């Protein structure tokens, strides 16, 4: 299927409801239920042809085929490793997740968080599988991937060495859900080695579809306690940890029984009346189910005896404990906060945030403008408008405004590690829209706007992580968000999400697709004698000009010009010209038709020279978009990307013959569509015969 057709099919599937957790997209079109049924009917165990038990599934460098680290690795099913394997034994717990010979502790910390929320866990790890009567060597898991949920099928052949699992394993040894989950996630990302190195927030998001923020407790925002409290009210997942300074620190226990390098959950935040003043408290949970804080406000401490009014104190040894917010800031290093989407939250009492999400692409020469350091191309980046109308309820920092979080995710970069690529450095800028642009979504703001307006806010930094995420509070109004790579002309796909406390309107901001087509028709009778004599010399005995003759004529003319660069008009371009002008459908141009074509070429030449700002004889792709407007066409990012890819040279310039050919093709497409759309409805219906006739013009 062509790229255009594939994208259209995907958009229609999403519109029909595919991609939700309840109706996940089948990854690589594999259906778990039917594949399992086939295996059971055949009496065989499933072997996944799309992720085979082979060296390529392990990695490409440190875990590549020739690496010493993979010597002796074999692929074993759980039934070959233990006599009575279990999928989940006694509920999923943190002790089911022990790291192996892979640097994916970030992923394991996120998996550990899964075990603390049964509903979220059940979305990722479907319960319709195991090693019982339905066992057929096949399992499946569901992950959020850049805006849609995918159902990933795997076989249960796991990499092992010396009879033990090479990667994630359970402490008990008989439980395999975590190892199989890791394999499914490796499949989505290309191989196991692609999982090495990352942020827990990445796993948070892929297991929930939420948006994750990271706060450094060495320099916390002044209103962090209120942010935490509001996040908990909205059903968010919160984790926190104490940084380690050396390998020896890992899971070292402090004097007051806090564990370094260990993922805790933050489950509560309250203010209590303590000795006549307000004291901020946070509730923590150690996933081990034991080992609790022994300092102030710990279980059984004297502070609880002096609380007036409601007292949240619990006094059981269950791994959950309270501590003062000030002690929390002093002892912990960071907080990771994952705001969930409304569909993830079962409890109707929590305050759901509003969510908007859009996909976009950066393409070299057309929509990859780089950051603001590149004023000549920055405006080419995709643009989005957010409309903030309602201010926050009970502002937590005492200031009025609208709170929202923007997350920019670059897609599928882990998969590209095999090709030697990695994460781009990405970020975004936010601009307040002046009054004249408010309410408009059908305009892509140009270079002049960005040269005369300063940014209102921006992502905290440009960074080479999968996601850049920042929280803002701005006055009501309309704002333009411009996501970009740091350097221009880098290809990439992204999705941008806006989570807001109040309902907001977020929309792409792009030019409409339209054409102002002048009637430039010249009739035979309007042709002057001088041009008529020229035509007679050029046309030959049949008094018509074919595509072959047109090519010869045009190339003789442009070869004499030093102010434009061209390799000459191709036969394809000349055929397009003839097709557009040929009203008699004989494949040739008569006098009036040739005169009309000549008039167009002269106009296009004038536009071309006007937009060749450096007089190089060629036009750069940013100049090309402006030139299209001068020629009467407004085009959106998607079409502009296609035209740049098909008509520009490798150095991102377009010469005169390709410029003319592109405009001629555009005009023909618009004229044919308008002729078929007699009612002006914006859509046409073709049968197969009509489609072939149209496509072959």
């Amino acid at each position: 299927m062509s790229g255009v057709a594939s994208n259209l099919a995907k958009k229609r599937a999403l519109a029909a409801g595919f991609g939700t957790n309840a109706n996940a997209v089948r990854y690589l079109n594999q259906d778990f239920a039917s594949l399992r049924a086939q295996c059971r009917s055949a009496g065989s165990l499933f072997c996944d042809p799309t992720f085979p038990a082979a060296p390529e599934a392990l990695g490409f460098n440190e875990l590549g085929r020739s690496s010493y680290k993979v010597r002796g690795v074999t692929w074993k099913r759980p039934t070959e490793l233990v006599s009575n394997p279990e999928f989940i034994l006694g509920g999923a717990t943190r002790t089911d997740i022990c790291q192996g010979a892979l640097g994916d502790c970030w992923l394991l910390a996120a998996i550990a968080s899964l075990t603390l929320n049964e509903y979220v866990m059940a979305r990722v790890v479907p319960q319709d599988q195991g090693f019982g009567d339905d066992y057929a060597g096949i399992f499946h898991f569901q992950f959020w991937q850049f805006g849609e949920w995918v159902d990933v099928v795997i076989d249960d052949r796991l990499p092992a060495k010396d009879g033990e699992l090479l990667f994630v394993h359970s402490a008990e040894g008989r439980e395999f859900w975590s190892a199989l989950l890791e394999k499914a996630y490796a499949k989505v990302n290309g191989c196991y080695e692609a999982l090495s190195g990352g942020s827990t927030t990445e796993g948070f998001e892929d297991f929930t579809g939420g948006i994750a923020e990271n706060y450094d407790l060495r320099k916390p925002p002044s209103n962090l306690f209120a942010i935490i409290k509001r996040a908990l009210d909205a059903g968010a997942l919160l984790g926190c940890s104490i940084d380690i300074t050396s390998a020896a620190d890992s899971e070292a226990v402090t004097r007051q029984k806090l564990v370094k390098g260990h993922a805790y959950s933050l489950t509560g935040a309250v203010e209590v009346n303590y000795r006549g003043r307000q004291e901020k408290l946070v509730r923590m949970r150690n996933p081990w189910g034991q080992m609790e804080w022994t300092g102030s406000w710990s279980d059984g401490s004297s502070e609880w005896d002096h609380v007036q009014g409601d007292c949240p104190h619990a006094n059981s040894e269950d791994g959950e404990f309270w501590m003062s917010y000030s002690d929390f800031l002093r002892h912990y290093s960071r907080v990771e906060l994952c705001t969930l989407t409304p569909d993830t939250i079962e409890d109707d009492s929590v305050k759901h945030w509003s969510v908007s999400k859009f996909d976009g692409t950066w393409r070299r020469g057309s929509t990859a403008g780089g950051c603001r350091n590149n004023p000549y191309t920055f405006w080419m980046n995709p643009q989005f408008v957010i409309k903030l109308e309602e201010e926050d309820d009970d502002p937590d920092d005492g200031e009025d405004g609208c709170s929202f979080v923007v997350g920019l995710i670059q897609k599928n970069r882990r998969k590209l590690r095999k090709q030697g690529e990695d994460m781009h450095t990405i970020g975004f800028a936010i601009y307040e829209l002046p009054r004249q642009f408010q309410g408009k979504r059908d305009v892509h703001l140009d270079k002049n706007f960005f040269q005369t307006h300063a940014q209102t806010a921006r992502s905290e930094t440009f960074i080479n992580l999968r996601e850049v995420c920042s929280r803002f509070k701005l006055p009501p109004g309309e704002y333009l968000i411009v996501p970009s790579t740091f350097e221009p002309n880098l290809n990439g796909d992204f999705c941008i999400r806006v989570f807001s406390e109040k309902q907001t309107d977020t929309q792409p901001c792009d030019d409409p697709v339209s054409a102002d087509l002048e009637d430039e028709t010249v009739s035979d009778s309007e042709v002057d004698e001088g041009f008529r004599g020229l035509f007679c010399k050029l046309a030959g005995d049949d008094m018509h000009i074919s595509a072959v003759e047109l090519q010869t004529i045009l190339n003789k003319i442009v070869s004499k010009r030093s102010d434009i660069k061209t390799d000459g008009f191709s036969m394809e371009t000349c055929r397009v010209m003839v097709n557009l002008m040929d009203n008699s459908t004989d494949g040739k141009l008569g006098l009036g038709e040739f005169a009309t074509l000549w008039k167009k070429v002269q106009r296009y030449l004038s536009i071309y020279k006007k937009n060749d700002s450096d007089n190089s004889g060629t036009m750069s792709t940013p100049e090309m978009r402006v030139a299209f407007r001068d020629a009467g066409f407004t085009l959106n990012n998607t079409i502009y990307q296609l035209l740049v890819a098909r008509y520009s040279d490798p150095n991102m310039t377009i010469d005169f013959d390709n410029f003319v050919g592109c405009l001629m093709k555009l005009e023909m497409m618009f004229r044919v569509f308008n002729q078929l759309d007699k009612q002006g409805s914006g859509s046409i219906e073709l049968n197969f015969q009509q489609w072939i006739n149209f496509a072959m013009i």
Side-chain angles (χ1 to χ4, degrees):
M1 187 183 295
S2 73
V4 173
S6 178
N7 286 334
L8 283 172
K10 185 172 182 181
K11 287 178 180 178
R12 287 177 176 174
L14 288 173
F18 291 99
T20 62
N21 182 256
N23 195 7
V25 174
R26 296 169 185 165
Y27 187 67
L28 301 181
N29 205 31
Q30 291 177 297
D31 180 72
F32 169 73
S34 62
L35 287 172
R36 182 169 65 176
Q38 289 171 22
C39 289
R40 286 188 52 74
S41 176
S44 61
L45 296 180
F46 179 62
C47 292
D48 185 3
T50 67
F51 196 57
E56 291 70 29
L58 294 176
F60 48 88
N61 185 17
E62 291 192 8
L63 295 177
R65 181 183 291 269
S66 59
S67 171
Y68 73 92
K69 293 184 178 180
V70 301
R71 288 178 194 158
V73 171
T74 57
W75 295 80
K76 300 286 188 183
R77 298 187 189 269
T79 51
E80 298 174 295
L81 292 169
V82 298
S83 58
N84 52 346
E86 296 281 355
F87 185 57
I88 296 178
L89 182 63
T93 64
R94 183 194 175 279
T95 58
D96 301 340
I97 308 153
C98 300
Q99 189 173 357
L102 186 61
D104 62 348
C105 59
W106 62 274
L107 175 63
L108 308 192
I111 296 175
S113 297
L114 269 184
T115 66
L116 305 178
N117 187 319
E118 290 184 8
Y119 178 65
V120 173
M121 174 80 177
R123 287 160 58 95
V124 176
V125 185
Q127 304 300 300
D128 59 346
Q129 54 193 336
F131 293 94
D133 293 339
D134 283 340
Y135 172 69
I138 183 171
F139 291 84
H140 69 134
F141 299 85
Q142 295 195 349
F143 305 119
W144 183 87
Q145 290 286 282
F146 317 116
E148 66 180 17
W149 284 87
V150 295
D151 190 84
V152 183
V153 169
I154 57 166
D155 64 38
D156 64 347
R157 294 177 293 176
L158 298 168
K161 198 170 185 178
D162 300 325
E164 296 184 353
L165 289 179
L166 186 62
F167 302 130
V168 166
H169 53 280
S170 68
E172 201 275 341
R174 291 174 49 215
E175 207 165 1
F176 287 91
W177 72 267
S178 58
L180 294 166
L181 172 63
E182 183 189 42
K183 179 175 181 178
Y185 200 63
K187 176 177 177 177
V188 164
N189 286 282
C191 64
Y192 277 95
E193 189 174 348
L195 305 183
S196 185
S199 166
T200 300
T201 55
E202 191 175 331
F204 266 162
E205 292 186 342
D206 285 353
F207 297 151
T208 66
I211 193 166
E213 305 167 71
N214 198 315
Y215 292 96
D216 185 343
L217 297 183
R218 291 170 299 183
K219 45 181 181 181
S222 59
N223 61 331
L224 179 60
F225 182 80
I227 289 173
I228 290 171
K229 198 169 185 306
R230 294 166 89 89
L232 289 167
D233 288 343
L237 297 181
L238 283 85
C240 53
S241 60
I242 303 170
D243 285 349
I244 60 174
T245 54
S246 68
D249 261 358
S250 182
E251 299 203 340
V253 180
T254 69
R255 184 168 53 84
Q256 291 170 306
K257 303 298 185 186
L258 296 178
V259 185
K260 293 184 178 181
H262 177 54
Y264 285 82
S265 295
L266 200 164
T267 60
V270 298
E271 287 189 73
V272 297
N273 189 332
Y274 172 66
R275 295 184 182 272
R277 61 180 174 82
Q278 292 298 108
E279 178 79 34
K280 294 183 175 71
L281 304 178
V282 292
R283 185 176 63 207
M284 317 292 291
R285 185 176 188 278
N286 182 343
W288 288 350
Q290 55 185 356
M291 190 76 72
E292 297 184 6
W293 160 255
T294 59
S296 300
W297 297 97
S298 60
D299 289 1
S301 66
S302 60
E303 285 82 8
W304 295 105
D305 298 332
H306 303 282
V307 173
Q308 289 88 44
D310 292 339
C311 178
H313 177 226
N315 199 21
S316 58
E317 179 65 20
D318 56 1
E320 196 159 73
F321 56 88
W322 291 91
M323 64 193 306
S324 72
Y325 179 63
S326 57
D327 277 338
F328 168 70
L329 294 178
R330 188 176 303 115
H331 289 278
Y332 283 84
S333 306
R334 65 191 62 257
V335 168
E336 292 171 329
L337 183 161
C338 185
T339 301
L340 303 184
T341 52
D343 67 300
T344 314
I345 304 169
E346 282 188 305
D347 188 353
D348 290 335
S349 68
V350 302
K351 301 174 182 176
H352 295 173
W353 278 46
S354 170
V355 186
S356 300
K357 176 259 174 187
F358 297 96
D359 295 304
T361 56
W362 295 300
R363 289 294 179 267
R364 183 172 181 262
S366 56
T367 54
C371 69
R372 264 192 72 102
N373 296 348
N374 307 277
Y376 181 63
T377 57
F378 178 72
W379 67 278
M380 297 165 60
N381 288 300
Q383 301 171 8
F384 302 85
V385 173
I386 176 172
K387 185 176 183 180
L388 305 173
E389 296 184 283
E390 290 187 73
E391 295 185 337
D392 297 348
D393 297 327
D394 306 319
D396 48 31
D397 54 5
E399 296 181 6
D400 293 335
C402 309
S403 293
F404 63 102
V405 178
V406 178
L408 171 65
I409 303 178
Q410 50 185 322
K411 295 183 180 181
N412 299 316
R413 300 305 299 180
R414 286 188 182 275
K415 276 186 180 178
L416 295 175
R417 286 183 175 179
K418 283 185 175 182
Q419 285 80 52
E421 295 194 40
D422 213 322
M423 301 292 178
H424 290 320
T425 299
I426 60 170
F428 56 86
I430 299 177
Y431 296 81
E432 184 174 7
L433 277 180
R435 186 175 300 276
Q436 67 266 32
F437 293 114
Q438 291 183 12
K440 296 181 178 179
R441 303 295 179 264
D442 57 350
V443 58
H444 185 96
L445 296 181
D446 61 16
K447 181 172 60 176
N448 294 328
F449 173 84
F450 296 103
Q451 288 180 340
T452 56
H453 292 80
Q455 60 188 13
T456 302
R458 60 180 176 82
S459 53
E460 187 174 343
T461 183
F462 274 76
I463 194 166
N464 60 338
L465 292 177
R466 184 178 83 157
E467 180 175 38
V468 171
C469 183
S470 296
R471 178 181 290 254
F472 305 95
K473 175 175 276 193
L474 294 175
E478 292 191 24
Y479 298 88
L480 187 74
I481 304 174
V482 185
S484 73
T485 56
F486 185 76
E487 298 289 342
N489 290 322
L490 295 176
N491 292 327
D493 301 322
F494 68 85
C495 72
I496 189 164
R497 295 184 295 163
V498 178
F499 280 54
S500 50
E501 182 170 312
K502 294 291 188 176
Q503 189 72 33
T504 58
D505 178 30
T506 306
Q507 295 293 334
C509 187
D510 205 353
D511 288 328
V513 179
S514 64
D516 181 12
L517 302 177
E518 298 179 16
D519 184 1
E520 299 174 291
T521 304
V522 179
S523 67
D524 289 5
S525 61
E526 292 175 303
V527 178
D528 62 46
E529 288 303 317
F531 193 89
R532 189 182 298 270
L534 174 65
F535 177 79
C536 291
K537 287 182 182 179
L538 297 172
D541 295 340
D542 65 354
M543 292 301 289
H544 281 82
I545 292 177
S546 67
V548 174
E549 292 169 325
L550 179 63
Q551 183 184 31
T552 302
I553 294 166
L554 292 176
N555 285 340
K556 278 185 179 179
I557 294 171
V558 297
S559 66
K560 297 176 182 178
R561 300 193 65 122
S562 60
D563 56 343
I564 57 173
K565 290 184 179 178
T566 174
D567 293 330
F569 283 82
S570 68
M571 180 54 62
E572 180 185 359
T573 298
C574 292
R575 284 196 177 111
V576 169
M577 292 180 179
V578 171
N579 287 342
L580 178 63
M581 298 292 107
D582 178 23
N583 292 321
S584 58
T585 67
D586 61 358
K588 295 182 179 182
L589 301 181
L591 173 61
E593 293 167 338
F594 182 68
T596 304
L597 173 62
W598 191 254
K599 184 178 177 181
K600 284 183 184 296
V601 172
Q602 291 295 106
R603 183 166 67 91
Y604 292 160
L605 176 61
S606 174
I607 293 170
Y608 188 83
K609 289 183 61 60
K610 171 190 170 186
N611 287 282
D612 176 17
S613 56
D614 59 357
N615 297 313
S616 63
T618 62
M619 187 188 298
S620 69
T621 50
E623 292 168 336
M624 178 178 166
R625 188 160 186 166
V626 178
F628 283 157
R629 288 182 183 172
D630 291 346
F633 297 95
T634 58
L635 307 172
N636 62 21
N637 285 339
T638 301
I639 295 177
Y640 184 54
Q641 286 174 356
L642 287 171
L643 296 183
V644 168
R646 292 176 183 176
Y647 289 93
S648 67
D649 292 332
N651 62 355
M652 294 294 108
T653 61
I654 183 169
D655 57 17
F656 181 62
D657 57 292
N658 278 316
F659 178 68
V660 172
C662 182
L663 286 176
M664 288 285 186
K665 188 71 174 281
L666 271 175
E667 181 173 343
M668 183 171 66
M669 300 289 278
F670 273 99
R671 289 196 185 280
V672 169
F673 186 92
N674 291 339
Q675 189 174 355
L676 294 173
D677 182 20
K678 299 186 184 301
Q679 306 300 320
S681 64
S683 63
I684 59 175
E685 184 174 321
L686 304 175
N687 61 34
F688 183 70
Q689 179 69 37
Q690 292 169 327
W691 164 251
I692 290 294
N693 289 342
F694 169 55
M696 295 305 292
I697 291 177

